[in-house]
Every structure is written in C-alpha cells, then in structure tokens.
Amino acid sequence: MKLYITADMEGITGLADETFVDSSRHNYERGRRIMTQEVNVILKAAYAHGAKSILVNDSHSKMNNLLIEELHPEAQLITGDVKPYSMVQGLDNTYDGAFFVGYHARAGTFGVMSHAMVHAIRNFSMGGERMGEMGMNAYLAGYYGVPVLLVAGDDQAVKEAQELIPEVTTAAVKETISRSAVKSLTPAKAGELLAERTAAALANKDKVKPLRPPENPELKIEFTNYGQAEWAHLMPGTSLDPEEPVVTYQAKDVREAYQAMLVMTELAMRTAFS
C-alpha cells in the first residue's frame, strides 16, 4: 500500500496562534518539533498497518518545517518552496490514499487560525461550491483517483472534512475556543488518538471514494480587497468583477485550476497594503 501525507501546521496539537507557525516568532521551533512528532506517530502507525511506501509533503508556509533528521527513516519527504502543485506536490494516480494532517478550517469560518492559503483570500469556489485549502487539495487528489482517508486537525477542520468527504476518518486533536485559543490534547494523548485513527482509516479505506472534481471547472477567488483582485487579474484568461473583489478563471481541468489559484494568490500578495 502506497500512501501520501500532506502536512500543514495550524491544525497540529497544541498550536494556538501565529507564534507557533511563523518562523520569525518565539514558539516556532516548538511548533515544528511537535509537527514532526505528530507526523511520525502517523507514519509509525501506517507502516504497522500495511503501508509499504509513504511520501510526506511539507505543506506549510515556506514548506521546510519538518525536521528530516528526526523523521521516520522509511518515509520520503518533499521539502521547500516553489512547487508546481504546492500542498499536494508529488501526488499522482499511483497512491492508494492520502492523509491530510495538521489541517485547519477555511477562511472566514470559526476555527483556530482559519484561512485559505494566505490572508488575501476570502473564499475559493469551484463548481459553485465554496471551499478552502482542504477542498482544493481533496479535488486534486480526486482527479488522480486518490481518496482522502484521514483528516487530522482542530475540531472545525474535522467538521469541514466530514461535510466534504463522505466516510472520511477524522481526528480532532484540539477544540477551538477562538481563532487564537484552543483546548488541546497533550502530544502524548494526541499521539494515541492519531495512531488509533490511522489504523481506523486504513481499515476503512475501501469505503471512501475519491472526491471527483467538476470537469472544466470555473474557479472563482474572492479576495479581501479590490487591489488584491486587480493584481490577480493580471493573469491572462481571468475576468474581474467590476463591483466585487472576485476573479474568475475558466480551467480545462482541476490541475489547471489549482495552478491558476497559486499564481493569482502570489500576485495578490504583492498588494502594497491591506
């Protein structure tokens, strides 16, 4: 069995605010150690329950957070920034399932550090359905016929996953109090939960179907201000709503929609002020 893990950071056990996920802040080194430990617990359990090959893709910020020297020796790691498919780099149709680890809720919703890729984004929608990073990543996995078997993160990320992916196994390692406060399990107790849920996800894998994306999807991105939308609209093939900060792109498939999202996101971040 061949598995793929995309590991974000905001949904990791005990991480409550930006001081844990920003490499310039005082709690970051603690955060990345806990993140590495959490991924290792899942790797160990997955190998113990039939996995033969596992690829881990570091999927937070500059995507170089996981400590490779401490990672399970049998795993392979994609690390570093500027990846054509970002949080799902390396995923293809050879994988039997995907795990989303350390995930958070989408922008504008209740959930610890909830957002969608960057703070310039208010909403993604594809085929008329609003979504965040989780939805975009699950659709790209579905394009390759890969089911999302496990989503681990805060309670609101788990709720979003259950609404998005029928039969998915979930693990909530912390409960949202506010966008910057949580009631969390300890890493030891979270590890027990994650090991148990990893085993359950693999036992349940045949019941989960890939989340198939719409064909020729129309991607809409709602930005937080009009200047960000103007920057995003510099990408050829886009249209800009004259009254709302919404940019639309007609894609030939979800892979193109995903890359269009990445390009527009990067352009939008060039806005001089918010």
Side-chain angles (χ1 to χ4, degrees):
M1 181 167 43
K2 187 177 181 182
L3 298 177
Y4 180 92
I5 296 176
T6 164
D8 204 353
M9 203 168 185
E10 287 87 355
I12 295 294
T13 300
L15 279 55
D17 58 36
E18 72 277 3
T19 66
F20 290 90
V21 301
D22 181 339
S23 62
S24 69
R25 305 296 291 274
H26 66 284
N27 277 320
Y28 172 71
E29 289 301 325
R30 291 177 61 204
R32 71 192 305 212
R33 286 198 303 273
I34 297 169
M35 179 189 186
T36 305
Q37 292 164 9
E38 196 145 295
V39 171
N40 274 339
V41 165
I42 293 168
L43 287 168
K44 181 179 179 181
Y47 283 121
H49 289 86
K52 301 300 182 185
S53 173
I54 306 177
L55 175 64
V56 180
N57 181 30
D58 193 326
S59 298
H60 174 73
S61 188
K62 294 301 181 182
M63 304 187 177
N64 56 4
N65 311 281
L66 289 166
L67 299 167
I68 193 169
E69 64 270 28
E70 297 180 13
L71 204 62
H72 192 294
E74 296 303 315
Q76 290 186 307
L77 175 66
I78 295 178
T79 184
D81 199 9
V82 189
K83 299 183 287 193
Y85 292 100
S86 188
M87 297 181 75
V88 281
Q89 181 66 35
L91 183 60
D92 60 29
N93 60 9
T94 66
Y95 287 88
D96 298 296
F99 288 3
F100 289 5
V101 178
Y103 269 54
H104 53 81
R106 65 183 178 85
T109 64
F110 180 61
V112 62
M113 294 184 275
S114 58
H115 67 280
M117 299 301 283
V118 297
H119 296 304
I121 307 298
R122 186 175 294 164
N123 277 302
F124 299 128
S125 69
M126 197 152 46
E129 181 180 0
R130 285 186 174 184
M131 64 187 69
E133 298 166 22
M134 188 188 305
M136 294 292 290
N137 295 340
Y139 268 145
L140 194 55
Y143 173 86
Y144 291 114
V146 179
V148 179
L149 303 179
L150 174 71
V151 175
D154 67 89
D155 58 336
Q156 299 306 306
V158 160
K159 180 182 176 183
E160 185 176 319
Q162 291 167 342
E163 292 172 352
L164 182 69
I165 308 164
E167 300 293 338
V168 68
T169 300
T170 58
V173 298
K174 56 190 177 186
E175 179 183 333
T176 303
I177 296 172
S178 71
R179 195 169 179 276
S180 56
V182 295
K183 181 171 74 174
S184 181
L185 298 176
T186 63
K189 284 297 182 182
E192 293 176 8
L193 173 66
L194 290 165
E196 184 273 324
R197 301 309 284 162
T198 296
L202 295 179
N204 188 58
K205 65 182 178 63
D206 292 337
K207 296 181 181 179
V208 187
K209 303 301 181 186
L211 190 66
R212 294 291 185 181
E215 295 183 6
N216 308 119
E218 181 183 73
L219 171 68
K220 288 182 179 288
I221 303 181
E222 181 183 7
F223 295 90
T224 57
N225 70 53
Y226 208 81
Q228 293 158 343
E230 289 169 335
W231 269 104
H233 179 45
L234 294 179
M235 193 181 86
T238 58
S239 62
L240 173 61
D241 190 303
E243 297 181 354
E244 300 289 337
V246 176
V247 179
T248 301
Y249 181 79
Q250 180 64 56
K252 65 182 181 182
D253 58 30
V254 73
R255 293 182 305 170
E256 185 176 90
Y258 196 95
Q259 289 194 315
M261 175 271 291
L262 295 176
V263 172
M264 286 191 278
T265 298
E266 290 297 320
L267 285 169
M269 292 302 291
R270 296 179 65 86
T271 306
F273 58 90
S274 59

